[in-house]
Amino acid sequence: WSIYHYPPYVPFQTAPLFYRNVFPEVSDGIQVRNSFSSRDSVLDTHLYLANGAGNPGSGDRNENKGVGARVNAGLSDGLTAGASYYRERDNLDTIRRSLGLHMAVSYDPWRFQTEYATRHNGPEGGVRSFNDSGWYGQLSYDIARWTVAARYDWYDSDGTDARNDRFRTTGAVNYHFAENVVGKIEYSRNESDDPATKDYNEFIASIVVAIGDL
């Protein structure tokens, strides 16, 4: 989510529902990155080794490590696609395997991007395994200094129970005051299949200022 698709300013102020769930947001470790050409495509690859969940670098509590890989291909002008993989065993010996697929299409002034991610969770000790998964589709349109965008996303925290499905529909308008200053308004409708969870709406307004390399 945070590597390939976005410049400093993103159309939305909220991330997709599966963000920070299916894949870890941060991992302590080492990463090797290489970009090279293959036929008419440019491949950007990442391989990394990490401590895994629950193990900060200053207090690693087990000998298990997380391993991951990511590849992104520039298939043609305005079209990129790729995949991600991550595997780790946590301190309770739960094995987690995450797989993600992503694609972005640009045809000025339109831009569409989508991602699907799923994780298999395999606890030890006879506890049942389960999958959690998420998906979103996002479309934006640029008009001079304005950007109008819409996104629909879904996340299921446990595939064995239909009540865990969550959905969010979001609309946003951005105004670019300058290259590094953007005003944003955003409205979201959040819904759940769990009768015990109340549906709700969100409204967010902000001015974002980027500092550093744009």
Side-chain angles (χ1 to χ4, degrees):
W1 167 256
S2 61
I3 295 178
Y4 291 115
H5 299 319
Y6 286 109
Y9 294 122
V10 301
F12 299 97
Q13 298 165 86
T14 54
L17 293 169
F18 71 72
Y19 179 55
R20 298 182 181 178
N21 290 310
V22 178
F23 281 88
E25 180 186 10
V26 176
S27 294
D28 296 322
I30 186 170
Q31 176 175 261
V32 177
R33 176 177 178 177
N34 186 36
S35 297
F36 55 93
S37 297
S38 176
R39 297 183 180 180
D40 295 330
S41 300
V42 176
L43 296 179
D44 189 14
T45 60
H46 298 252
L47 297 173
Y48 54 95
L49 179 68
N51 277 336
N55 298 298
S58 61
D60 195 350
R61 297 190 298 275
N62 65 37
E63 297 180 354
N64 300 310
K65 303 302 174 189
V67 294
R70 186 176 180 96
V71 60
N72 189 67
L75 302 176
S76 64
D77 186 22
L79 173 62
T80 63
S84 303
Y85 176 78
Y86 183 72
R87 181 191 183 279
E88 67 180 7
R89 183 192 295 269
D90 67 12
N91 295 334
L92 300 177
D93 284 335
T94 297
I95 297 177
R96 296 187 175 93
R97 297 184 182 91
S98 301
L99 174 66
L101 303 173
H102 64 267
M103 181 184 71
V105 182
S106 296
Y107 186 77
D108 287 337
W110 295 94
R111 178 178 175 84
F112 174 76
Q113 66 184 52
T114 183
E115 290 186 65
Y116 171 78
T118 185
R119 177 177 61 178
H120 180 73
N121 304 272
E124 289 290 318
V127 180
R128 66 174 177 82
S129 62
F130 66 95
N131 294 338
D132 59 322
S133 306
W135 170 88
Y136 75 87
Q138 175 175 305
L139 182 67
S140 62
Y141 182 80
D142 294 322
I143 312 169
R145 290 178 176 265
W146 297 88
T147 298
V148 180
R151 185 179 71 211
Y152 180 80
D153 62 286
W154 155 79
Y155 175 61
D156 181 3
S157 60
D158 185 343
T160 64
D161 189 343
R163 294 175 298 177
N164 291 312
D165 288 73
R166 297 167 54 198
F167 308 89
R168 179 190 286 147
T169 304
T170 308
V173 177
N174 296 183
Y175 182 76
H176 301 260
F177 294 99
E179 184 183 10
N180 65 328
V181 182
V182 180
K184 299 182 177 185
I185 58 173
E186 176 179 310
Y187 180 82
S188 298
R189 174 64 176 172
N190 295 269
E191 300 177 304
S192 172
D193 281 347
D194 186 352
T197 301
K198 185 177 179 180
D199 299 340
Y200 64 97
N201 302 321
E202 290 179 291
F203 178 80
I204 306 174
S206 68
I207 295 179
V208 182
V209 179
I211 300 174
D213 185 10
L214 298 177

